[in-house]
Amino acid sequence: MVKVEEYMTRNVCYVSPEDTVRDVIELIKKTSHDTFPVVSKGKVVGIVSVHDLIGRDENERIENIMVRREKMITTRPDANIRDVGRLMFRTGFSKLPVIDEEDRLLGIITNTDVIRSQIEKTTPEKLNKIVDAYRKLGFNVKVYTDTIPVNKIRPTQGKIYEDELQGRIYELKRGLAEPIIVIKKKDRDDQYILVDGHHRAVACNILKIPTLEAYVIEIDTDRKLGIERTADSLGLKSIEDIEIVDEENNDSCGIYELTSKRNHIT
């Protein structure tokens, strides 16, 4: 089960009941956030969003316009993030404060966090399916976890998507990245063939992180694997060969063009 605490933002901007509409407007300008928990004496007592400010006098206090605690929807850090996602979908709320048993603010979870938690997840089922497939082909397979050099990863997917890439960068910066899945031929330490986790590997490369956690499927063979032939046909030798596709603008560009011209990603 993926818990809320794995994806929530812990450093939360909040306001007090005594703050004014003007104070919150200035905070919106400073942070670009549109929703803030209201905290008094260390406890969450309400929540206020940009919609609550419309038509209000700038000197009006937040306690007069906030949604009060008894009418708020909140969540706990150990809640299942998929359940929280369903709750958001039903209620229409895009941000939920994360609190403890005494209503103290621990973080905030957004619908974007929920989506990111479900994209490109490495699950035990996914790993087992890959391992079982190679065993059924007659290969002697060994599975273990390891920290591998990014510059020794050979991709097998020619394109990735920019929106998902930003999610992986976000996770890496917060230390939340899932392990990738790679294949390593026995007695060969110069190459890891990437099976799952292309967005994570590219994000790691962009952030200049030299290593990445991985599930390593070690195969005892000298034969060229089908997945290697796929990489050959696509002309893929290293992470730098992967193209990043911007679906919204229907264009693509190489990694180094992306990092030099679109600095918002890094």
Side-chain angles (χ1 to χ4, degrees), residues 77-126:
D78 59 350
N80 187 325
I81 201 166
R82 296 184 69 177
D83 294 338
V84 172
R86 285 192 287 268
L87 178 63
M88 287 180 168
F89 179 78
R90 289 198 306 269
T91 61
F93 290 103
S94 61
K95 298 179 179 67
L96 299 182
V98 184
I99 61 173
D100 64 11
E101 294 83 355
E102 298 181 2
D103 284 352
R104 291 176 297 197
L105 183 64
L106 302 178
I108 197 162
I109 190 81
T110 71
N111 52 6
T112 302
D113 295 325
V114 173
I115 292 170
R116 285 171 173 160
S117 74
Q118 300 304 312
I119 294 176
E120 209 185 41
K121 293 286 289 181
T122 299
T123 63
E125 292 80 10
K126 183 185 290 186

Side-chain angles (χ1 to χ4, degrees), residues 221-247:
T221 183
D222 293 325
R223 291 164 46 190
K224 178 167 283 193
L225 302 171
I227 199 167
E228 289 180 283
R229 289 194 289 270
T230 297
D232 289 342
S233 67
L234 294 172
L236 302 173
K237 295 182 179 179
S238 69
I239 296 300
E240 283 83 359
D241 295 325
I242 300 175
E243 287 186 319
I244 301 167
V245 178
D246 183 348
E247 271 194 311

Side-chain angles (χ1 to χ4, degrees), residues 140-206:
N140 183 17
V141 176
K142 176 182 176 183
V143 182
Y144 55 91
T145 58
D146 198 4
T147 301
I148 66 171
V150 173
N151 64 2
K152 291 185 178 180
I153 295 174
R154 185 181 188 190
T156 57
Q157 179 179 315
K159 295 180 180 180
I160 62 169
Y161 295 100
E162 182 177 346
D163 55 349
E164 290 188 30
L165 174 61
Q166 291 188 52
R168 304 292 79 74
I169 290 173
Y170 173 87
E171 291 171 0
L172 277 166
K173 286 181 175 179
R174 297 176 66 189
L176 299 173
E178 294 279 332
I180 60 175
I181 301 176
V182 297
I183 290 176
K184 174 185 175 294
K185 290 185 176 180
K186 189 176 180 180
D187 300 325
R188 182 171 178 181
D189 297 322
D190 63 332
Q191 186 180 91
Y192 296 87
I193 305 166
L194 184 56
V195 180
D196 182 77
H198 283 75
H199 288 85
R200 274 163 280 171
V202 172
C204 202
N205 195 51
I206 287 175

